[in-house]
Amino acid sequence: MEENHFIAKKATPIPWTTFWEAPSNIALIKYWGKTTPQIPKNSSLSFTLSSSVTQTQITYQPAGSGTFDFSFYFEGVAKPDFKPKLQTFFKRIEPYVPWIEGYELTIKSSNTFPHSSGIASSASAMAALAMCLMDLELKLFPGMETELFHQKASFLARLGSGSAARSVQGPVTLWGANKIQDHSSDLYALPFGPDLHPVFSTYQDAILLVDKGTKAVSSSQGHQLMHQHPFAPQRFLQAAENLEAIVPVMKAGDLEAFIKIVELEALSLHAMMMTSNPYFILMKPNTLAIIKRIWEFRASTSIPVCFTLDAGANVHLLYPQDYINQVNTFIREELAVFCQKGQYLLDQVGEGAKKV
Ligand code: 2P0
């Protein structure tokens, strides 16, 4: 589908309030490197999460033609410092939602996961915002097909933050033009589809909070550094190969192959960071200590746990629901000690954004 397919018409403003929540997601095949506007250099695939969500309410107030303004509150507090990022977002999406002219928006947002937990909230935040926008678009132009509704929501979310494209639907989504999936696109993410092996629709993700501070290098800077990266062409090829390899694995439920690809992707992402110029390291000593324990636990129990990493020090421990008791005991007894203040979040794969 082309961009112009997503261009809506103008409409007379109406008062309207809508409230949506959208989850965070964790990439298995990583997006790292992009061109303007948020076009990924390689396709990515992720688990949509369930409990880690952003809830966003928008009140749309008609405010006279030619005007557009908004105020933003995070967890009940006005946050004017978030305004520039949101302004950039609204400017980017304006051609696709021209009906937005003539409104004053009050945007109220909050996260269910702890503030500054080192969990990237841009994906859930931008996806929740996109759902609220699409909700009014559907009200103004009834009859839009559900598929188009989701694709445009993902398209708008992507223009806010690339990985947000993958937070609209679940339990597994794929973003980026690829050879494997029909109708795949760099413009929006699509659900993996009905061929997904059932083991993955209840997969568990324990987020081990190793470091809750602000990252030394932001994801935006990290993406930027891929432009002159000496290994970038090889990395984009590797990601494409890993995507091609993981798709049949996710249909077959082959956990041994799944683990090999997922851990390779996590460490390849961080290898890109460590070999950027300037180079940087987001892992902490406890990130490595946890990885070592996970490998030992897997070797000694044959329980198919594995890890992945986001752009940060936290470790996502992934495991099938069948092993929840053994793994949660392992986390409590052996891994919590490496987490900041012993904190971790138990989440699982979920179905995507929903109306509150
Ligand atoms: C991902 N990450 O696939 C990768 C892996 C982090 C590590 O997408 O600049 O916040 O908003 O498009 O989506 C983080 O980057 O970047 C990210 P922008 P985003 O999830």
Side-chain angles (χ1 to χ4, degrees):
M1 206 173 303
E2 304 285 323
E3 268 112 331
N4 56 18
H5 198 81
F6 294 120
I7 299 175
K9 297 194 180 80
K10 290 196 173 200
T12 308
I14 55 163
W16 181 249
T17 296
T18 181
F19 194 6
W20 280 77
E21 65 174 44
S24 183
N25 71 73
I26 180 69
L28 306 176
I29 305 296
K30 308 293 184 181
Y31 151 61
W32 201 244
K34 63 174 176 177
T35 54
T36 312
Q38 317 276 67
I39 298 298
K41 294 291 278 183
N42 63 262
S43 300
S44 56
L45 178 142
S46 54
F47 277 147
T48 304
L49 297 183
S50 174
S51 313
S52 309
V53 303
T54 297
Q55 298 184 320
T56 297
Q57 184 190 59
I58 300 187
T59 301
Y60 296 91
Q61 197 58 46
S65 70
T67 60
F68 174 74
D69 202 3
F70 66 90
S71 47
F72 179 75
Y73 297 81
F74 184 69
E75 286 170 3
V77 182
K79 292 276 181 188
D81 38 323
F82 281 46
K83 243 189 143 164
K85 192 169 179 184
L86 285 167
Q87 245 146 5
T88 306
F89 171 66
F90 283 117
K91 198 131 208 83
R92 248 186 219 165
I93 66 163
E94 204 268 341
Y96 308 101
V97 289
W99 49 259
I100 207 163
E101 192 199 305
Y103 280 106
E104 201 171 299
L105 275 50
T106 306
I107 308 169
K108 293 181 178 170
S109 197
S110 60
N111 293 340
T112 56
F113 43 93
H115 192 47
S116 304
S117 58
I119 299 179
S121 59
S122 64
S124 53
M126 287 301 174
L129 198 55
M131 298 316 291
C132 289
L133 293 166
M134 287 310 295
D135 196 62
L136 179 55
E137 184 165 311
L138 186 62
K139 171 81 183 161
L140 295 171
F141 306 102
M144 187 189 310
E145 300 217 350
T146 310
E147 196 181 4
L148 179 62
F149 177 87
H150 284 132
Q151 284 174 7
K152 184 166 175 183
S154 174
F155 171 87
L156 295 177
R158 185 197 105 241
L159 291 171
S161 181
S163 54
R166 302 187 311 241
S167 273
V168 170
Q169 289 180 278
V172 174
T173 68
L174 232 159
W175 165 41
N178 63 75
K179 294 186 215 147
I180 311 148
Q181 201 185 27
D182 290 342
H183 313 297
S184 64
S185 172
D186 285 343
L187 302 179
Y188 50 83
L190 290 173
F192 188 91
D195 294 345
L196 183 71
H197 189 280
V199 72
F200 295 117
S201 56
T202 56
Y203 231 68
Q204 305 294 303
D205 178 11
I207 309 166
L208 306 164
L209 304 175
V210 170
D211 185 49
K212 303 196 286 173
T214 311
K215 288 181 290 192
V217 178
S218 71
S219 287
S220 305
Q221 291 167 297
H223 281 292
Q224 192 63 30
L225 289 170
M226 287 302 278
H227 286 302
Q228 313 82 21
H229 200 297
F231 306 146
Q234 200 55 44
R235 163 60 198 154
F236 302 139
L237 278 178
Q238 180 203 31
E241 282 168 14
N242 284 342
L243 182 78
E244 264 188 60
I246 207 170
V247 167
V249 161
M250 300 204 62
K251 290 179 183 174
D254 179 349
L255 297 184
E256 204 177 314
F258 174 81
I259 287 169
K260 283 193 182 133
I261 300 168
V262 168
E263 293 189 346
L264 175 60
E265 272 292 306
L267 294 180
S268 298
L269 167 71
H270 283 256
M272 289 300 107
M273 299 171 187
M274 291 193 270
T275 49
S276 292
N277 188 5
Y279 46 82
F280 59 106
I281 304 178
L282 296 184
M283 290 188 284
K284 299 280 180 191
N286 282 351
T287 310
L288 294 178
I290 289 173
I291 292 173
K292 183 168 176 283
R293 295 303 187 289
I294 292 170
W295 285 346
E296 287 166 358
F297 179 77
R298 189 164 76 219
S300 65
T301 62
S302 296
I303 292 176
V305 293
C306 70
F307 72 86
T308 190
L309 304 167
D310 212 341
N314 297 337
V315 179
H316 289 248
L317 180 65
L318 306 175
Y319 49 105
Q321 193 180 38
D322 282 354
Y323 298 97
I324 201 164
N325 291 334
Q326 296 100 306
V327 178
N328 289 3
T329 304
F330 165 57
I331 294 169
R332 205 171 48 244
E333 292 180 356
E334 293 187 49
L335 301 183
V337 66
F338 299 110
C339 300
Q340 208 175 333
K341 296 189 185 156
Q343 287 180 332
Y344 56 89
L345 305 169
L346 298 176
D347 207 339
Q348 62 174 353
V349 162
E351 283 306 319
K354 47 179 188 265
K355 203 164 185 163
V356 180

